[in-house]
Amino acid sequence: MIRVRVPGDKSISHRAALLAPLAASESVVRGLSTGADVRSSVRAMQRLGAAIECEEDEGGLTIRCPGGGLAGGAPPRLDCGNSGTTARLLTGILSGGGVAAVLDGDPSLRSRPMRRIVYPLQAMGARIEYEGEPGRLPIRVRARATGQLRPLRHRAGVASAQVKSAVLLAGVLARVRVSASEPALSRDHTERMLAAMGAPIVFDPARTGAGEAAFDPAGWDGELDGLHLTVPGDPSSAAFLIGAALLSGRPVRVEDVASNPARTGFLAVLEAMGAGVRREPLPDQAGEPRETWTVRPPDRLRAFSIGGAAVPGLIDEIPLLAILAARARGRSEIRDAAELRVKESDRLTGLARTLESLGVNVAERADGLTIEGRTGRLRGAIETRGDHRIAMAFGVLDAAGDADLAIDDRACAGVSFPGFREALAPFSSGAASARGAPVARARGRVVAVDGPAASGKSTTARRVADRLGFVHVNSGLLYRAITWWAIREGIDDDAKAVEDSVHALALELVPAPDGLAVGVEEAISDRALHSPEVTARVSALSALPAVRAVVLDRLRRAGRRHEVVCDGRDIGTTVFPDAGLKVFLVAEPRERARRRLRERGATLTEENIEREAAALEARDRLDSSRSLSPLKRAEEAVVIDTTGRDPGEVVDSIVRLAVERRLARP
């Protein structure tokens, strides 16, 4: 399993850089994103006279501010670079504080809309003028000669955290009552941070849809408390590494990432695509929830459909989701995402044209895309148009998605994720590294665990996989799933019907908390797989050549896509003859009999033990003498007798062998 940390959340970092200087007391914020966009916010506040000290280390950017607000002086010209967040939130801050300045940016930022921000602020009485094209940067915010801003109740036509933030910031700094409602959930980082700093902000942090955020200064002393926090990891940055994990077949654990409900919508889409997602909560900081995520890839991604109120919560991840859709089985739909046309580039057109040039079937609509997934290697040139999300999305495909891509501007990913290319290296399937050297294939490491029935294979393999960070695959569950299907279809007594139909069966290994579970179109419960009916028929059906061929294909596919510990009776000899480590577990028949009886909850009488031991020895003879994939120890397999041994000792022994053979780290 790959363990990663991502840079500090960009949205939280922006707000910390913009709000900390406005506090009445000292602020210390650690772990800010070092990307170009956040640096634009820091520099703008410094140009406005804020005393901000900056230090940078491996953990990100640390800022220290004594507080006290902004210094007066001649109106500066503020270069917001490529950062829409800097320009739009600053417009609210300048308007509310009555501070004069000119806001400008690079050509990309100049092309993006500002009217949606400027209009409600002008309605409050802010003096804002366009210096060039109406509705675009540059804009001039003039100081107020007299009077206060007017209260405002703003109803937005689209969900926009930047519009909502600008209105709230203007209200807080001018100390006038404001509210901003929106038709769907957008990011509420501004509300959370202002509330943590003592401002009387009213909002519902648990909401999942339309709602309102409001500020009423009645009874408030007008001072913001200093800000003290460590910024959690950026979920949008994490999404791209998770996407690389899904394409490369590697489980990934992302430590300490921001888990604001308005930022995690993409996780639900990944689950719909078949990924296994585990979320472990961590203590909040400054009102922001944090989690550690573990994501396991499915055998193959499934198509998805998104639209409506879900889109604002995953708008930044749509370029990545489009890449995953190109590799999923079926047709994916993205709707209600017209906002992507006014980002750093027209992302809908850029994604559609580029994917089509790679041979992917894409239909572009005014508000979205329809993408038909395909297999096979993809090759072509990628024009990013300076858009960091486009560069990151195709960077993921190039590194981990069986593709050879010439990306014209990889460096623009540094706007939000400095070091992104290096962060992709563990997921690489052979693409060149940032230094030009080939990156070794980072998947397909296999530990094969074989042995007779009740020798402890499955329990041992599951614990070894957990220790190594590998995926556990129980081959017997695939045979049981086919048997369950045959019984459901009423053909379990018809060998020919089973062999004629089994190749078309949608048999899949799907992520589960303890490895890969098995499914036929959908996951099958463990109780169903181990029902008496399945147990009675599984031996007969698993002997059929067509059934064994299907199981062999699924197991080898898992071995190509994942790091696995696989247990069975022919894993090291037939399924994975090139496995990096082969283990053959044995135990005395009476010991195995006692284990099997305990599993069933049966009484351990001498008669029962003798009867069960005899049955197991008969099963051994049958498995060892069958013509197709017999139970047989591979010549290079390490034999471990588990009789009377503590299970933990057996696991320790196998883990040590895996480390010695460089299949895993110590």
Side-chain angles (χ1 to χ4, degrees), residues 480-495:
R480 285 181 172 273
I482 292 174
T483 304
W484 173 88
W485 159 78
I487 292 172
R488 186 189 69 177
E489 298 299 311
I491 58 173
D492 55 299
D493 286 324
D494 188 340

Side-chain angles (χ1 to χ4, degrees), residues 479 482 485 495-505 507 540-554 628:
Y479 292 109
I482 292 174
W485 159 78
K496 185 177 185 305
V498 171
E499 294 210 277
D500 287 345
S501 305
V502 72
H503 287 291
L505 183 63
L507 181 68
L541 292 181
S542 62
L544 298 175
V547 170
R548 300 198 72 82
V550 167
V551 171
L552 180 64
D553 172 74
R554 300 304 190 272
L628 189 64

Side-chain angles (χ1 to χ4, degrees), residues 131-201:
E131 289 203 330
E133 180 184 353
R136 301 283 191 267
L137 292 179
I139 62 172
R140 179 179 294 275
V141 182
R142 296 190 180 275
R144 293 193 301 276
T146 59
Q148 291 289 315
L149 294 184
R150 295 184 290 272
L152 177 71
R153 186 171 186 178
H154 181 65
R155 296 184 180 276
V158 296
S160 170
Q162 293 177 351
V163 173
K164 177 177 58 175
S165 295
V167 170
L168 289 174
L169 289 169
V172 168
L173 295 178
R175 297 185 64 181
V176 298
R177 189 175 62 257
V178 293
S179 67
S181 61
E182 53 188 355
L185 178 67
S186 72
R187 302 177 185 186
D188 59 4
H189 300 300
T190 300
E191 296 96 297
R192 290 173 184 265
M193 191 168 291
L194 285 171
M197 296 175 77
I201 302 292

Side-chain angles (χ1 to χ4, degrees), residues 358-405:
L358 300 180
V360 179
N361 187 7
V362 182
E364 180 184 355
R365 299 185 307 278
D367 69 338
L369 304 169
T370 300
I371 302 170
E372 190 78 36
R374 56 155 291 184
T375 58
R377 199 159 188 85
L378 302 177
R379 295 179 173 87
I382 308 299
E383 182 183 358
T384 64
R385 299 173 178 83
D387 189 322
H388 61 121
R389 301 289 182 196
I390 298 295
M392 292 165 70
F394 284 99
V396 165
L397 180 61
D398 185 46
D402 198 19
D404 299 311
L405 307 180

